[in-house]
Each structure stands twice: as structure tokens, then as C-alpha cells.
Amino acid sequence: MWRYGWWLWGVLGMVPVAWPADLPPPERLPSRPEMPHPLEMLNGERITTREAWEKQRRPELKALFQHYMYGEYPPRPKQVQGRVLFEDRQFLAGKATLQEVELTFGPESWPKIYLLVAWPNQRQPVPCFIGLNFGGNHLLVAHEQVRIPTVWVPGGFPGVVQNRATAEGRGKHAQVWPLEQILARGYAVATFYCGDIQPDRPHVAEGMRATMPLRPTETGQETATLMWWAWGIHNAVDYLLTLPHINGKRLAVVGHSRLGKTALLAGAFDERIAIIIPHQSGCGGAAPSRHNNPKAETVSRINITFPHWFCGRFKSFGADVSRLPFDQNCLVALCAPRPVLLTNAEEDEWANPAGQFAVLRAAAPAYELYDVEKPVVADQMPPVNSLSAQRLGYFLRPGKHAMTPADWQIFMDYCDRWGRP
Ligand code: GTR
């Protein structure tokens, strides 16, 4: 799709023809010790209008993130079809409805998404949280009709035996997506296991990776796992938009850690998503690639531990992040003017909470192109336990790396502020 985009630009004469093949290899990009300015084009020109942002810089940034970091955004499916596997209208003593829906979006042999959807029975249409979960829908709710994943799952989660999920795990991670609490506040929830799209391990031809011809990871812009996951969320959005009880204008994407990286990427690449909440997303998410925090994860480290999350070209930046033609402030900027909330925990230095606040500040110029209320973002990192509810919002709590019911209260406070008509 984006190859086509480059061609179009050339035809329309908006920017010089720039085939991806023309983009310099990482070692030929200039070294820039500071985070690149979101409004400065690759050729050094600074754009100043919303129109130039939307027609030139935003598409350029999307192309750069694909080329150098997350790999190619796959073509959109022609159609996403939902088949309801079960429906319980008496969920939570009749207060809500719980469904699981099988989503198909390609040939029979392709993976399917098993989307768990829950919504309050009283008021409709309702705003909805959408996001991935780490180990299967069955971990989130002890409901015997919820399907147990049959694909590979990570070891270490409750009930997992030799990387296969079992019924033992039912409801054992209910605190991670606390459905009752979310539904009680008038929000719907839609979530699926990330491994439905692409199990979280490298070098295995499975999930969506198995549907594409293999390309060499050293040089290629093959779609990396985070991009596949983001694309999967977009497929789920396609489906949610067909549901009368969901308010399609009020979708908030949320995710924790690697799934928070995915939430930010999904929000940046899909304007149908109204609010973006990457929770403790860290390196490759809302944390800067350029940083001097000795306790925070680095690009070099993440590429070694999780080679499949990013495309092959990203590996070249491990030794010198200053050559990246963007930093994560530009990914946040792609969400403009939609509200983005970064949430973190004090002891989670690995995710670089202070660096994330700097990223938020450095994304602000894109937001300021829109007529949005000032300030777009706080001047200083807010103290612990104090929600900075600006359009570029921030929250730091005490404690460790986890997604808890208390975190969800903050997500919903923020969405109450921004997510309702
Ligand atoms: C860590 C990884 C982080 C973060 C985290 C998680 O091991 O270094 O980038 O993604 O995993 O997803 O829990």
C-alpha cells in the first residue's frame, strides 16, 4: 500500500518522487543526537501548516517508520467477517453481555481473531476499549464458554503446559482487564490474544508471518510482529464499527508493555481510533530511542532479545541510534490531534518514565498545528499519582511493571475527560 503512496506523491508533485529504494541505508543517514523535530521533513524543510502535515509530513513519517523500524504495513483485508461463537446476555448478573466472535479476513488457511466483546446492557451505544492480551481471553474471565487458544502461548501463564493453554487458566488474570469495573463505568471492552495474529516468538513460520513469502530479515522491511499486531487491531476495529451498541467514534486503544508499544503503533496508523493509551510501553513504544538512562532498555538490547518485534533494518541502529530519522515523539505526533495518555510506574525504569515524558513534550508541535486548547501538554512531569489530563496526558504511579485495576481507573478518568461527545 505504501509503495503506491510514494508513487502517488510523485505523480501529484507534492514532494519529489521518493521510492523506498531511494531512502538511504541506515549508515548513510545523518547523525542527529537530539530527537528529530516532528515537523521537519527528511530533506530538512520545516512544514508549518496542518495541510502540509497531513499531505506531506504525516505520510512521510508513516513511510519512515515502516521502512526503518516496524516493517511494511500489510494490505488491508477486503472484508472482515464476524461469526458469533457464543453470547451471554446475563453476564455479571444481567448487567452486561459477553460475546466471543471469530473474525475472518482472508483465505481459510489464514489465522483468525477470537475477539472477546463485553458491553453494558443499560446504555448504548457505548465507548469501547480495544486491545490485545498476552495469553488468551480465557485468562481474563472465568466463563466456561470462552475459547481456549489452540496456538502457541508463552510459558509461565496460569494453566500453560508446554506452551499450550488449558482450562486451568480460566479467569486467573481477571485483574489485568477488570471487566466488571470497566463495564460498571459504562465502557465496552474488546480484546483478543496477540498470538491469534502472530505468536510472540521469532523464526517460526506461523500466524500471519506464515502467509507471506519469507524475506531475509537482515535487510528487508518484512512486516515485524508489532506491526502485525497493530494491523490485527485494525481488523478488529473494522468489525467493531459494524456494531450498533458500540460507539465507533469513541474507541480507545490500550495495551501493556509490548502490547502498549502495539497500542501506540495502532493508534498512529489508524485515525479511527479516538484515544491512545500505551501503558508502560517503553523502548519501541513511547520511550525515546535516544536516551542516557542507564536503567532503561536500549535499541541495541531490544533488538537482541526480541528480534522479531522490528524489521531487519532496525537492527542497524543498535550501534548508533542518532542516525534514526525519527524518534518516538514522531510516532506520538502521528496521533495528532487525538488524545494520548502515557501511563507509567515509578519503579519501572526499564520503560523509562521520564524519557516518555520528554517524548510527549517533543510531540507537541504536531498538536499545535490544530486548534486545540492550550496547553497541549504539561510543562513538567507531574508528581506521582497526579493525572495530567492534557491532550498529551501523563500519569505516574508508585510501584512496578503491571497493568492493574487502579491503572484502569486512570484510563477511564482520562477517557471520561476526552472520550465522550
Ligand atoms: C520486556 C521488554 C520490554 C517490554 C516487556 C513486556 O522484557 O524488554 O520492552 O515489552 O518485556 O512486554 O512485558
Side-chain angles (χ1 to χ4, degrees):
M1 180 185 109
W2 66 287
R3 279 193 208 100
Y4 189 64
W6 283 94
W7 172 80
L8 245 190
W9 291 359
V11 168
L12 299 178
M14 286 192 244
V15 290
V17 179
W19 293 92
D22 295 337
L23 284 173
E27 64 280 8
R28 293 233 316 275
L29 287 162
S31 170
R32 295 197 266 185
E34 306 299 328
M35 285 191 247
H37 194 282
L39 306 188
E40 191 177 303
M41 302 284 297
L42 192 60
N43 66 9
E45 273 170 38
R46 180 78 62 96
I47 60 110
T48 55
T49 64
R50 198 191 300 185
E51 195 193 6
W53 165 255
E54 289 176 1
K55 296 222 169 94
Q56 294 177 43
R57 179 58 172 159
R58 192 164 68 187
E60 177 178 88
L61 275 175
K62 284 187 178 172
L64 294 174
F65 273 112
Q66 290 177 73
H67 191 75
Y68 292 113
M69 189 164 181
Y70 299 107
E72 195 166 332
Y73 184 82
R76 297 288 319 131
K78 285 198 187 70
Q79 206 191 358
V80 174
Q81 269 178 324
R83 182 168 73 91
V84 176
L85 300 180
F86 82 86
E87 175 173 279
D88 180 357
R89 290 177 187 226
Q90 294 306 314
F91 185 52
L92 299 176
K95 282 186 276 185
T97 298
L98 183 71
Q99 264 190 354
E100 202 165 33
V101 187
E102 180 189 76
L103 301 184
T104 39
F105 36 85
E108 186 54 34
S109 61
W110 279 26
K112 298 176 188 353
I113 287 173
Y114 296 93
L115 189 69
L116 191 73
V117 194
W119 65 92
N121 284 338
Q122 263 195 344
R123 225 188 16 217
Q124 291 166 8
V126 285
C128 181
F129 288 102
I130 163 87
L132 302 175
N133 63 69
F134 277 88
N137 298 337
H138 69 295
L139 291 174
L140 307 181
V141 54
H143 191 290
E144 61 182 24
Q145 282 175 286
V146 174
R147 185 179 171 276
I148 311 279
T150 53
V151 293
W152 182 95
V153 293
F157 285 118
V160 174
V161 181
Q162 293 180 338
N163 296 108
R164 296 290 147 187
T166 69
E168 279 300 298
R170 285 196 188 284
K172 299 266 167 66
H173 272 185
Q175 77 286 0
V176 181
W177 283 75
L179 296 187
E180 187 161 4
Q181 178 187 318
I182 301 169
L183 294 161
R185 282 188 61 167
Y187 288 89
V189 168
T191 180
F192 63 96
Y193 168 46
C194 60
D196 286 352
I197 284 285
Q198 185 59 55
D200 190 9
R201 55 175 179 169
H203 312 312
V204 182
E206 62 188 347
M208 285 306 297
R209 192 188 293 138
T211 67
M212 300 282 148
L214 287 177
R215 283 179 260 180
T217 48
E218 295 77 39
T219 54
Q221 71 246 13
E222 72 287 342
T223 305
T225 296
L226 296 181
M227 189 59 109
W228 275 127
W229 285 344
W231 178 86
I233 289 176
H234 299 164
N235 294 353
V237 167
D238 286 353
Y239 173 71
L240 291 175
L241 291 177
T242 67
L243 302 180
H245 44 277
I246 302 287
N247 184 341
K249 294 204 164 58
R250 297 287 176 262
L251 300 180
V253 67
V254 77
H256 180 218
S257 206
R258 66 200 68 185
L259 305 183
K261 305 179 207 301
T262 310
L264 177 55
L265 183 59
F269 274 70
D270 189 344
E271 280 145 48
R272 299 173 303 174
I273 296 173
I275 300 185
I276 297 104
I277 307 182
H279 178 61
Q280 303 172 345
S281 63
C283 184
S289 296
R290 291 162 176 82
H291 72 79
N292 299 312
N293 178 350
K295 294 190 183 144
E297 188 170 26
T298 60
V299 167
S300 152
R301 183 75 244 160
I302 205 168
N303 272 324
I304 292 167
T305 329
F306 303 103
H308 54 301
W309 287 357
F310 306 97
C311 73
R313 229 171 249 130
F314 194 56
K315 313 290 179 284
S316 319
F317 295 96
D320 185 1
V321 287
S322 77
R323 292 195 190 278
L324 276 169
F326 46 72
D327 210 307
Q328 299 307 96
N329 61 318
C330 297
L331 194 63
V332 175
L334 283 175
C335 300
R338 294 165 291 150
V340 175
L341 173 66
L342 305 186
T343 45
N344 280 290
E346 243 182 334
E347 291 174 51
D348 187 17
E349 280 291 340
W350 189 241
N352 201 351
Q356 290 192 38
F357 186 73
V359 159
L360 209 57
R361 299 253 332 144
Y367 280 72
E368 285 158 1
L369 291 176
Y370 292 81
D371 293 328
V372 292
E373 55 300 305
K374 302 280 185 314
V376 172
V377 57
D379 291 342
Q380 285 183 346
M381 200 162 142
V384 170
N385 276 336
S386 155
L387 173 62
S388 162
Q390 277 83 359
R391 195 170 278 262
L392 289 171
Y394 191 89
F395 181 75
L396 182 69
R397 65 155 166 80
K400 298 190 194 306
H401 192 70
M403 191 155 83
T404 68
D407 291 322
W408 275 97
Q409 294 297 354
I410 298 298
F411 304 162
M412 290 187 283
D413 289 349
Y414 187 75
C415 289
D416 283 354
R417 159 90 170 77
W418 289 106
R420 293 183 191 277

